[in-house]
Amino acid sequence: MAASTHKPKSTKRAAKRSRSKPASKSPRQQKTTTSKLAAGQTASARSGGGDSSKQETVLGMLRQAKGTSIAAIMEATGWQQHSVRGFLAGVVKKKLKLKLESEKVGDKRAYRIAKPGAAS
């Protein structure tokens, strides 16, 4: 019988790995880096050149005397409703320890940051 010239699978895999270029980034890594750069550029362009962030935008909206609605925050940030609610609970109330008030105005609910020292 003739000897088989078939290599075991483990040898083929090792050979494939050794042929790759270790210094270059994969297409997925390059895309992520590019998209992060583009996202950073568009965010700074939208904010008028300042160091504004979505968090600062939302906090500014909440500091207004009339307050703001979840729908308005969604429109300003591009977040979904559950993300806005999570931000209000997790960042505004827990992390920043700010007192958040809500008031029903008509059929809409308005949220605002309470003034320090205000009776609750």
Side-chain angles (χ1 to χ4, degrees), residues 63-94:
R63 285 188 177 109
Q64 296 173 1
K66 64 178 183 171
T68 187
S69 67
I70 289 181
I73 296 172
M74 289 170 57
E75 188 175 322
T77 60
W79 293 342
Q80 294 182 6
Q81 183 176 4
H82 65 273
S83 300
V84 174
R85 291 180 182 275
F87 177 82
L88 294 176
V91 176
V92 176
K93 291 174 84 176
K94 289 185 180 178

Side-chain angles (χ1 to χ4, degrees), residues 100-112:
L100 194 63
E101 295 179 341
S102 69
E103 179 184 10
K104 189 109 174 180
V105 179
D107 61 341
K108 305 243 180 189
R109 185 162 293 277
Y111 295 88
R112 77 177 64 78

